[in-house]
Amino acid sequence: MDTIELPLPDDFHVHLRQDAALASYVRDVASQFGRGLVMPNTVPPLTTLSAILDYKKQILAAVPHFEPLMTFKLSPNYTEETLYAFKEAGVVAGKYYPAGVTTNSQDGVSDFESVFPVIEIMERLGLVLCVHGEEPGAFCLDREEAFIRRIEILAKMFPRLRIVFEHLSTESAVKAVYALPATVAATITVHHLIHTLDDIIGDSLRPHHFCKPLPKRPADRFALRSAAFSGNSKFFLGTDSAPHLKGKKECPCGAAGVYSAPVAIPLLIQIFEREDVLRKLSNFVSGFGADFYGLPRATQTIKYVRNPWVVPEEVHGVVPLAAGETLDWRLYGQV
Ligand code: NCD
Ligand code: ZN
């Protein structure tokens, strides 16, 4: 087989950044995805309707046919009125960042219970809760595992709330998501299917592979791959594509985030093909996520051809995932 046609994929976790760079990042995402759940960890963060709508306008100005699914950054300060206005305006989710666990999350949630009233309103309004599940203060490799109990508490307290445990990185979290009710789903990134901690610090230091949550042990990667290949509708793609300029990664205090947008789908085709599970790819990238969010599945399709290409070393000043590597599949028509 030398061509593959997929329903146009959705990226249920993507960072589009701001200012001059935004348009280039949006174009990269929109070249292979129809919709993207846009993360709110901008500076300042997306916390008001006017900021959200203004950001959406900027994204649409870059690519009018792309569909940005908007989010807000969770805090204890929202009123029912504000959340109702978000819902009416088509905002789909609120993002829970525990304070300080990742890029631009210093203003995140520091008191778990303080956000319960806001979450209760989200449950009633049908807004999805997306969670960066890492426990502040825990040892870096244990942060996700330490956070699982909070997801369990939320699922129990708010039985109608849809919760997405974002960018899973551990076998324990995969098991927890399987065990929790159907209201709890999870995103999986491309880089967590490829990397373990060895790819960041096992040999030389690889700053462009550095991201939160950290990729962990081979057994964790195996569990993530099994979940992605399983055909279980709780697991779907959220790339967490998070561009940082080269100089912000190659420095004494490097930023966390992997830029995967330009290569995400070709890499996934390669990974799924090599595991002989290509038939599972379509639902993972273009089905289960839309179903969970209650969105129609894509009707447009996108085509890839087997025609090896070398991933550029740099894209708009950012070193992308798999830079310099040869990939088997390319977007049809891409030179
Ligand atoms: C993301 C970023 O750079 O905004 N970084 C990352 O390492 N994944 C934030 C996030 O989603 O954690
Ligand atoms: Zn992210």
Side-chain angles (χ1 to χ4, degrees), residues 132-135 138-149 151 165-174 192 212-214 216 220 224:
H132 183 117
E134 288 199 283
E135 185 68 20
F139 174 64
C140 64
L141 295 178
D142 298 334
R143 282 176 201 162
E144 185 171 280
E145 208 163 336
F147 198 90
I148 293 172
R149 67 179 193 91
I151 303 271
F165 198 160
E166 298 284 352
H167 40 50
L168 297 191
S169 71
T170 57
E171 181 179 13
S172 312
V174 170
H192 286 98
K212 301 294 180 71
L214 287 167
K216 299 188 174 67
D220 295 308
L224 293 166

Side-chain angles (χ1 to χ4, degrees), residues 13 15 39 95 97 167 240 242:
H13 182 136
H15 300 269
M39 289 298 122
K95 177 70 186 268
Y97 287 102
H167 40 50
D240 194 12

Side-chain angles (χ1 to χ4, degrees), residues 12-13 37 39 93-96 98 101 128-135 142-155 161-189 192 212-213 216 224 227 233-240 284 292-293:
F12 278 100
H13 182 136
L37 188 78
M39 289 298 122
K95 177 70 186 268
Y96 180 148
V101 294
V128 174
L129 179 71
C130 296
V131 186
H132 183 117
E134 288 199 283
E135 185 68 20
D142 298 334
R143 282 176 201 162
E144 185 171 280
E145 208 163 336
F147 198 90
I148 293 172
R149 67 179 193 91
R150 301 203 191 274
I151 303 271
E152 291 167 347
I153 291 168
L154 292 172
L161 176 74
R162 281 170 296 164
I163 302 171
V164 183
F165 198 160
E166 298 284 352
H167 40 50
L168 297 191
S169 71
T170 57
E171 181 179 13
S172 312
V174 170
K175 284 187 176 156
V177 171
Y178 270 117
L180 282 161
T183 48
V184 181
T187 51
I188 296 177
T189 77
H192 286 98
K212 301 294 180 71
K216 299 188 174 67
L224 293 166
S233 62
K234 279 173 165 264
F235 302 98
F236 49 86
L237 178 64
T239 66
D240 194 12
F284 181 68
F292 186 80
Y293 276 86

Side-chain angles (χ1 to χ4, degrees), residues 168-308:
L168 297 191
S169 71
T170 57
E171 181 179 13
S172 312
V174 170
K175 284 187 176 156
V177 171
Y178 270 117
L180 282 161
T183 48
V184 181
T187 51
I188 296 177
T189 77
V190 183
H191 50 281
H192 286 98
L193 295 178
I194 298 174
H195 294 156
T196 68
L197 193 54
D198 268 353
D199 296 287
I200 305 168
I201 53 168
D203 181 7
S204 48
L205 176 62
R206 306 289 301 274
H208 299 290
H209 292 173
F210 172 56
C211 71
K212 301 294 180 71
L214 287 167
K216 299 188 174 67
R217 306 182 66 84
D220 295 308
R221 178 179 58 185
F222 182 80
L224 293 166
R225 292 172 74 106
S226 303
F229 304 155
S230 69
N232 186 304
S233 62
K234 279 173 165 264
F235 302 98
F236 49 86
L237 178 64
T239 66
D240 194 12
S241 178
H244 292 277
L245 291 175
K246 194 174 173 186
K248 298 269 190 222
K249 302 279 286 175
E250 298 177 7
C251 61
C253 202
V258 167
Y259 192 38
S260 57
V263 292
I265 302 295
L267 268 171
L268 285 171
I269 297 173
Q270 184 165 312
I271 293 167
F272 277 63
E273 182 181 41
R274 289 181 184 180
E275 291 293 326
D276 199 19
V277 288
L278 254 186
R279 65 191 182 285
K280 304 282 190 181
L281 183 63
S282 171
N283 273 324
F284 181 68
V285 302
S286 343
F288 295 149
D291 298 348
F292 186 80
Y293 276 86
L295 299 165
R297 287 188 174 208
T299 48
Q300 257 180 288
T301 59
I302 190 165
K303 209 156 113 186
Y304 291 85
V305 287
R306 192 188 304 279
N307 184 356

Side-chain angles (χ1 to χ4, degrees), residues 11 26 43 46-47 55 59 89 93 108 150 159 173 206 209 257 292 297 317 322 334:
D11 185 349
V26 176
V43 185
L46 301 183
T47 55
Y55 194 49
I59 296 164
R150 301 203 191 274
R206 306 289 301 274
H209 292 173
F292 186 80
R297 287 188 174 208
Q334 182 173 292

Side-chain angles (χ1 to χ4, degrees), residues 41-99:
N41 65 333
T42 48
V43 185
L46 301 183
T47 55
T48 64
L49 187 56
S50 64
I52 294 168
L53 294 180
D54 180 58
Y55 194 49
K56 184 175 181 180
K57 209 162 116 191
Q58 292 174 44
I59 296 164
L60 289 172
V63 182
H65 63 79
F66 181 65
E67 195 180 330
L69 304 168
M70 303 310 291
T71 66
F72 61 93
K73 199 178 207 176
L74 185 70
S75 80
N77 306 325
Y78 294 100
T79 61
E80 172 142 13
E81 237 178 347
T82 306
L83 294 179
Y84 185 79
F86 285 0
K87 178 74 184 176
E88 286 286 286
V91 174
V92 300
K95 177 70 186 268
Y96 180 148
Y97 287 102

Side-chain angles (χ1 to χ4, degrees), residues 13-36:
H13 182 136
V14 68
H15 300 269
L16 298 177
R17 308 305 190 206
Q18 293 159 272
D19 307 319
L22 177 135
S24 321
Y25 301 148
V26 176
R27 281 195 284 272
D28 282 352
V29 176
S31 67
Q32 310 197 37
F33 292 91
R35 293 177 290 212

